Each structure stands twice: as C-alpha cells, then as structure tokens.
Amino acid sequence: MRASFFSDFLNLFFPETCIGCSTNLRYSEKILCTQCLLDLPRIYPKTKQLNPLEDLLVGQFNFEFAHALFHYTKDKTYSKLLYNLKYNNRPDIGVYLGELLAVQIEEMHKNNSVDCIVPVPLHSKRLHKRGYNQSEEIAKGISNVLSIPIKTNDVLRKVHTQTQTSKSREERLNNVANIFAISNNSTLESKHVLLIDDVITTGATIISCALAILKASPNTKISICSIGLA
Ligand SMILES: [Zn+2]
C-alpha cells in the first residue's frame, strides 16, 4: 500500500516511459505502451504445421513443443526490449516478457505436462558481471502465470564462451558443444522440462543444453521457449 503510494507519487514527477517509443506510460501500461505491444511481431502458428522454432530444432533432438514469442530483428523498436534486458540492468523486462510468453504457451499448449522451468544458465563470470541471468527473469514471468517451479541448480555452464554473433552456424555449434554440465544431484530425470532462452538464432546453445540434459537423463522430456527468434 505504502510502496504503491510512493511509486504513484514518483510517477507524477518521473513518469515511466515506453521501452519502445519513449512516450509516457499510462497507469495500466507497463514496459511497453499499448501501441508498441500491439506492434510486436508475434509468432502465432495458426495451423498444426510446425512453427518456425520447431522447424529450426526438428531433427536435432526429441522435444515436446517449441515456441518463441516474436520474430527478432536487430535495430527494430522491439529489439530495445532485449537490449535493455541484457545490457541495461532491467531484469523487470524479462519478467514482463515471460508473462506474455506464458499466456501464449497456455493458449497453444493447453494440456502441457511441464513439471519445471530451467533457464539456460550463464557462466558464473557473466552472471557476476550482469548481476542476474536474463533467462531466469523470463522464467520467473512464466512461473508467475503458470505456477510451475523454476530449477536453477541442475544445469551448469562450465565454459565461458565469447559472443557468437560473428560466427557461422557451424562455428557456433562447435563453439558450444559440451559447454553445459548436469549436476550430480539433478532432479530432472523423467521430468518434462521447459528450457528457456532469451533469443534463439541458430539454436546452437539451446541444442547443446538440451543434449546435455538428455545425455544425463535420457527419459527427460524437453520443451523449448524463447522470447526472440532471430
Ligand atoms: Zn511505445
């Protein structure tokens, strides 16, 4: 009560602005104004055909479903969401996007049997530098809506990789092979795990992570979700 009074009071002088277009947000809006929210290039697979993320991952490993929230193109308004989430100390954007994603998961995969959410881990060095794992913030948003627990102690990132943006698909796949390890007391065996990443480009990182889980516990079921699909 007092906290919200205080933030309303602050808003009179420092209104929050839309991450996309910088207009002042209204009371009912958060992170994005209504127009920018409507303009998100969402991925709505209308038919039973493969959606673009499933199309990218099919044949790499067995998964239950795969879904990305929107098409990601650099230099577009909505790319600011992911930029601020990763580089501008805005973990709240991750929670917000996770909530949007969860609503879509609920619509499209109603009777899913997901037992737990596993954010793709960062290497401890990068986690320390950023202060939070952006994928874990997205997982929190999903967990808020779907009431599914998050597990962050089962999968570890044992190798610190440099940014992958300038590498080819093959280089990326080689670069991330075996960078993940499963902890000895992992509880993922025979569970349905929803793996979360912020942006999927070639799929190399998420494939490597899924393969590490399946190697340690072949009976685990895996689904994949991300915010952006580049
Ligand atoms: Zn806006």
Side-chain angles (χ1 to χ4, degrees):
M1 189 84 176
R2 288 182 94 183
S4 91
F5 174 78
F6 187 63
S7 63
D8 285 352
F9 182 75
L10 275 181
N11 267 338
L12 286 176
F13 301 100
F14 307 103
E16 283 183 55
T17 55
C18 171
I19 291 286
C21 67
S22 302
T23 57
N24 290 345
L25 292 179
R26 299 162 197 219
Y27 281 111
S28 59
E29 297 168 338
K30 71 178 182 180
I31 310 290
L32 288 178
C33 71
T34 305
Q35 191 56 53
C36 285
L37 182 60
L38 287 171
D39 287 345
L40 273 184
R42 294 200 194 214
I43 299 171
Y44 276 122
K46 296 257 191 290
T47 63
K48 287 239 183 248
Q49 287 170 336
L50 294 183
N51 72 51
L53 182 56
E54 287 183 341
D55 211 10
L56 179 74
L57 298 175
V58 76
Q60 303 287 351
F61 59 94
N62 286 329
F63 56 86
E64 303 297 307
F65 67 84
H67 182 69
L69 183 65
F70 60 75
H71 291 286
Y72 173 80
T73 317
K74 259 189 190 167
D75 310 323
K76 290 277 168 62
T77 312
Y78 45 83
S79 71
K80 290 183 196 162
L81 283 167
L82 292 158
Y83 182 85
N84 280 280
L85 167 62
K86 273 174 101 156
Y87 304 112
N88 211 10
N89 195 27
R90 289 293 305 270
D92 57 318
I93 294 175
V95 177
Y96 169 80
L97 291 171
E99 288 172 354
L100 291 184
L101 180 56
V103 171
Q104 256 177 253
I105 295 171
E106 207 164 37
E107 278 173 25
M108 276 181 256
H109 306 284
K110 232 183 188 83
N111 297 315
N112 73 76
S113 57
V114 174
D115 295 303
C116 58
I117 306 168
V118 173
V120 169
L122 293 182
H123 189 265
S124 52
K125 253 189 199 167
R126 187 161 291 161
L127 180 63
H128 187 72
K129 199 172 159 204
R130 189 170 296 158
Y132 58 92
N133 174 357
Q134 70 277 6
S135 296
E136 189 177 338
E137 300 305 314
I138 296 163
K140 284 179 193 168
I142 298 173
S143 182
N144 287 348
V145 176
L146 301 182
S147 303
I148 301 168
I150 302 170
K151 286 179 182 260
T152 55
N153 296 321
D154 294 76
V155 184
L156 316 163
R157 194 173 193 132
K158 52 183 182 173
V159 182
H160 182 65
T161 45
Q162 295 306 316
T163 173
Q164 300 251 69
T165 36
S166 61
K167 296 189 172 70
S168 72
R169 182 181 163 90
E170 205 176 353
E171 283 172 325
R172 286 182 184 214
L173 283 166
N174 286 331
N175 201 34
V176 296
N178 302 316
I179 63 168
F180 295 101
I182 307 304
S183 71
N184 289 331
N185 48 5
S186 167
T187 54
L188 301 181
E189 179 67 41
S190 301
K191 295 283 194 306
H192 182 179
V193 174
L194 178 59
L195 261 185
I196 303 297
D197 206 354
D198 55 344
V199 180
I200 293 177
T201 307
T202 61
T205 307
I206 204 96
I207 291 167
S208 175
C209 192
L211 291 176
I213 294 172
L214 290 170
K215 194 176 165 196
S217 49
N219 295 323
T220 301
K221 291 181 187 171
I222 295 188
S223 291
I224 306 284
C225 277
S226 73
I227 297 300
L229 179 61

